[in-house]
Amino acid sequence: MTTATTTREVEASPLPEDENLLRIGQVMTRMRVMTGRRMIGRLAIQNVAPGLELSHLDVIDAVRRAEGSGEVTVGAIAEILRIDPSRASRIVAEMVARGVLRRKASQADARRIVVVLTALGQRLLAEIQAQKFALIEGIVADWPAEDIEAFSRLFDRFIGGYEHAFQTRLKDTDG
């Protein structure tokens, strides 16, 4: 049995002539490689909950983000992480067994089950944030205050634009 693979030939886009745009693209690649190693998450796990996996940290972050919109369901976690609901359910079950999450009945609809962080989950979240802020503080320690302020504002603006462009392109391909 032979499986045919099709590839589409695409003409390569030329590199930007603006060296600033080129540098931004190159730095984005370097940052992706570094964040792909997930050092902050690995340190947090090592310090608070050895034995957890990085996917567990993704779920903790998804719970933190979803709490702002109300109660957190497995479906909401799956949507935030863009994973299959059955996979999200398995990861949540593992985290409940390890004492990081707890299931409870919804206050709005007792037929629905929601998930919340336990004390261990809260400690793990706090450790992730502490590791992240310690790293950032170390990096900018010798920067002038006005550079830190300008970078934080511009970085937020850049990432906001990046998120918007990504969401717009997703909508265009889904419709």
Side-chain angles (χ1 to χ4, degrees):
M1 180 183 214
T2 307
T3 304
T5 306
T6 59
T7 57
R8 197 170 58 133
E9 295 218 11
V10 178
E11 190 173 315
S13 300
L15 292 175
E17 291 182 24
D18 183 331
E19 66 184 63
N20 291 316
L21 296 178
L22 186 59
R23 183 181 310 115
I24 290 169
Q26 291 168 339
V27 170
M28 285 176 68
T29 299
R30 289 176 27 220
M31 187 170 180
R32 182 186 53 78
V33 169
M34 295 195 55
T35 56
R37 293 186 182 136
R38 315 258 326 247
M39 295 310 295
I40 292 170
R42 291 177 195 280
L43 286 171
I45 287 172
Q46 177 183 322
N47 291 342
V48 176
L52 285 185
E53 297 173 18
L54 291 169
S55 62
H56 296 136
L57 297 183
D58 294 336
V59 170
I60 289 171
D61 185 59
V63 170
R64 178 193 59 79
R65 290 189 293 166
E67 284 176 334
S69 303
E71 296 178 324
V72 182
T73 63
V74 171
I77 293 169
E79 187 176 314
I80 289 169
L81 297 178
R82 296 183 161 267
I83 61 175
D84 185 79
S86 63
R87 174 154 167 68
S89 182
R90 284 191 301 274
I91 296 171
V92 166
E94 290 172 20
M95 295 178 73
V96 167
R98 293 173 185 254
V100 177
L101 294 176
R102 180 173 58 86
R103 287 188 178 103
K104 70 175 197 170
S106 165
Q107 295 299 308
D109 180 354
R111 297 170 296 176
R112 191 172 64 190
I113 300 297
V114 297
V115 268
V116 295
L117 292 171
T118 63
L120 175 59
Q122 293 286 350
R123 277 200 329 268
L124 193 51
L125 183 58
E127 180 66 18
I128 292 166
Q129 291 170 336
Q131 291 288 340
K132 183 187 303 180
F133 292 128
L135 179 65
I136 293 168
E137 285 175 344
I139 292 168
V140 301
D142 61 347
W143 291 20
E146 58 271 7
D147 285 359
I148 297 170
E149 187 278 328
F151 178 74
S152 71
R153 191 174 29 77
L154 292 170
F155 193 57
D156 181 55
R157 189 165 129 201
F158 178 79
I159 296 300
Y162 192 76
E163 289 169 334
H164 178 74
F166 185 70
Q167 291 300 325
T168 300
R169 289 183 182 190
L170 277 178
K171 287 177 187 169
D172 290 347
T173 60
D174 287 343

